[in-house]
Amino acid sequence: MGLPELRFDVNLSILFTELPLLERPAAAAAAGFTAVELWWPWPGSPTPEKHELDALRRALTEAGTRLVGLNFYAGRLPGPDRGALSLPGPESDRFRANLDVAADFAASVGCTALNALYGNRVQGVEARTQDALALENLVRAARAADRVGAVLLIEALNAVESPLYPVTGAAKAVELVEAVNAASGLGNARFLMDLYHLAMGGEDLHAVIDACAAVTGHVQIADAPGRGAPGSGVLDFPDLLGHLGKAGYGGWVGLEYAAPGADAFGWLQDFQRAAG
């Protein structure tokens, strides 16, 4: 029996950003991709106008690209925010207002993975207060995702770049996945394994892959340090991607790195040729 075949998609929130949002799906298709993912495309609005949602849906459809991953509203990304769901007050309200909007949009384009970023610690608010709110909102998110046949993704960031983000490290993220599944009773929460963040956090990536592949719903990659294309840093991606396959992961691998168009995908062509 051969290894599971990894499938690659392009994150249009970090690649092709020299183009307007609605032109990026076609650019991804021209580069040879049939699948894309996105952070929430309207960071200033959890509930954009219908015509904005329709325009993005049309751009994806006309390009022949399937959306395979979408973030729920997470505040200003890129920017100072790292999610909204654990922040008491208006940001939590915005997250809740976004749940059905994001889930319905995902369903309309065949997207079955929705990512919920936890949010930073807030000065003057007890951690246990934020954590209780987070669990409540993650259960809401799990229900919204389940309604449209999607999984809920929970991601660990790295403390170097996100020192106020409490979900750092694979073990913490998987613990949270298990807590959400227990609280919701749905079992549709999964780990988003971002190899860049885990590497920046000093984790043993092979050990994480071995321990977490079975509960992983999506993988994202960038080289470290620098968050550039594979080959720009120190990570051995042919080895890591091969290890993912050996561990049984056969899902999507999101290319979530910054690189100019001419240099963005040469490594992938080499990898696919070598994998034969």
Side-chain angles (χ1 to χ4, degrees):
M1 182 182 297
L3 298 180
E5 183 178 352
L6 299 177
R7 300 169 291 168
F8 296 90
D9 72 88
V10 177
N11 189 309
L12 296 182
S13 296
I14 194 169
L15 283 161
F16 299 115
T17 53
E18 70 277 8
L19 298 173
L21 173 65
L22 298 182
E23 295 180 19
R24 296 177 204 168
F33 293 90
T34 59
V36 298
E37 62 183 71
L38 282 164
W39 303 338
W40 183 245
W42 302 277
S45 175
T47 55
E49 297 291 334
K50 180 179 181 296
H51 71 85
E52 295 180 277
L53 294 160
D54 289 343
L56 179 55
R57 184 184 300 108
R58 185 163 54 250
L60 291 164
T61 301
E62 291 178 353
T65 51
R66 177 188 166 196
L67 188 68
V68 298
L70 177 67
N71 280 20
F72 285 114
Y73 171 79
R76 292 161 293 175
L77 286 180
D81 297 329
R82 296 292 186 272
L85 63 90
S86 69
L87 279 59
E91 281 296 89
S92 174
D93 293 341
R94 292 187 185 103
F95 177 80
R96 293 181 181 185
N98 174 251
L99 290 175
D100 285 337
V101 176
D104 288 343
F105 181 79
S108 75
V109 293
C111 177
T112 57
L114 291 157
N115 184 29
L117 286 171
Y118 200 88
N120 288 329
R121 290 299 190 207
V122 178
Q123 187 174 6
V125 179
E126 289 190 1
R128 64 182 179 181
T129 299
Q130 283 196 259
D131 292 341
L133 176 62
L135 183 59
E136 179 182 348
N137 278 338
L138 284 167
V139 168
R140 289 172 180 257
R143 290 171 180 159
D146 182 70
R147 179 175 61 80
V148 298
V151 298
L152 172 68
L153 299 174
I154 296 175
E155 180 178 8
L157 303 185
N158 74 82
V160 177
E161 296 170 318
S162 303
L164 298 179
Y165 194 84
V167 185
T168 57
K172 179 65 176 177
V174 170
E175 178 184 319
L176 187 56
V177 164
E178 293 170 348
V180 173
N181 283 335
S184 72
L186 296 170
N188 68 329
R190 299 284 187 276
F191 177 41
L192 194 166
M193 185 188 294
D194 187 313
L195 295 181
Y196 168 75
H197 284 298
L198 297 171
M200 288 294 292
E203 297 219 35
D204 180 333
L205 298 184
H206 289 84
V208 170
I209 290 169
D210 289 338
C212 303
V215 295
T216 295
H218 192 67
V219 171
Q220 291 173 334
I221 64 171
D223 215 334
R227 203 170 186 173
S232 63
V234 301
L235 300 183
D236 184 344
F237 278 97
D239 174 62
L240 290 168
L241 294 171
H243 202 73
L244 272 170
K246 291 174 183 175
Y249 180 77
W252 292 101
V253 177
L255 310 185
E256 195 184 48
Y257 52 75
D263 302 322
F265 308 117
W267 74 271
L268 180 55
Q269 295 165 358
D270 293 342
F271 171 77
Q272 290 174 326
R273 278 195 296 269

